[in-house]
Amino acid sequence: MGEFLDVYKNRRSATKFVPDIQITEKELDEIFNLVKLAPSAFNLQHVHYVVVNDTEGKQKMYEASGKQYKVLTSSAVIVVLGNTQAHQHTAEIYEGMFNLGILSKQEYDQTVSSTIQFYQDRGEIFQKEEAIRNASLSAMALMLIAKEKGWDTCPMIGFDPVQVVNELDIPDTHVPVMMITIGKEDTSSQRPRGYRKPVAEFVSYHQFQSN
């Protein structure tokens, strides 16, 4: 537990990376193999990641991000997408549990139909919000796992989503949630951690209380 808390406390949003440090697909896959254990509603695993680690691709993401330098110096830019139609894949997600006998045919059919109905009843706005919520849970897991493996990251919302969609050929079923730059932080100009509110300012018990 102590090791996890050290990782959690030491994770910082890196604003500057050491240039020309490569991260291999093997290293990224090791991270993603752990990221897949992150929670998601109904286990639908709404997230999809697009890793951009070639020079041309990073240049395009650099332009889409309003020319933020950390994009160019990062080892890779990871675009986090949320699948607004994840519920349509419920049958595939639960098929393994059915084949293993964990779910009966009745339980399987009921789970599939009720999950799809749950999302359909709540409409497109809810489906988009769910895609963002669940992809964000996964993204936080990615940043912590990356830190544990010696990599630094920075979540980014400062980018043109339309440009990213066009450059990466993203289908309209997926919404860009954030970019995550990953690499080795250049700590030469690192500033102290920003102000954090005291617990009493952001936690209420029993009912909401404004502070």
Side-chain angles (χ1 to χ4, degrees), residues 74-211:
S74 67
S75 301
V77 181
I78 302 172
V79 180
V80 185
L81 307 175
N83 184 358
T84 64
Q85 297 300 300
H87 58 285
Q88 298 294 352
H89 300 280
T90 306
E92 301 164 28
I93 293 294
Y94 285 91
E95 188 176 27
M97 297 182 74
F98 169 62
N99 290 334
L100 290 171
I102 298 170
L103 294 177
S104 68
K105 182 66 163 62
Q106 182 179 0
E107 290 171 327
Y108 171 74
D109 290 342
Q110 176 62 29
T111 298
V112 172
S113 62
S114 63
T115 301
I116 292 174
Q117 195 65 49
F118 178 87
Y119 280 88
Q120 288 180 340
D121 287 347
R122 285 157 179 78
E124 292 183 1
I125 294 176
F126 176 81
Q127 291 163 15
K128 181 178 179 179
E129 290 174 344
E130 269 287 89
I132 295 170
R133 268 192 292 268
N134 287 278
S136 297
L137 283 171
S138 180
M140 186 70 248
L142 185 153
M143 289 185 283
L144 288 171
I145 294 164
K147 185 62 179 177
E148 194 278 333
K149 290 186 172 293
W151 295 95
D152 300 298
T153 57
C154 184
M156 299 171 56
I157 60 169
F159 61 90
D160 182 342
V162 174
Q163 191 172 349
V164 170
V165 165
N166 290 336
E167 293 291 0
L168 301 181
D169 197 25
I170 297 168
D172 59 11
T173 53
H174 288 67
V175 56
V177 176
M178 69 182 80
M179 285 182 179
I180 297 176
T181 44
I182 185 170
K184 301 289 185 177
E185 183 179 15
D186 179 348
T187 59
S188 61
S189 58
Q190 187 185 72
R191 292 184 289 184
R193 187 185 291 278
Y195 167 76
R196 292 297 191 270
K197 295 179 181 179
V199 171
E201 286 191 18
F202 67 93
V203 178
S204 301
Y205 289 94
H206 310 304
Q207 63 182 18
F208 179 84
Q209 294 177 341
S210 177
N211 297 296

Side-chain angles (χ1 to χ4, degrees), residues 28-45:
L28 286 163
D29 284 347
E30 287 175 354
I31 292 172
F32 288 124
N33 266 312
L34 292 168
V35 168
K36 68 184 181 183
L37 300 177
S40 63
F42 299 96
N43 194 35
L44 293 180
Q45 303 164 62

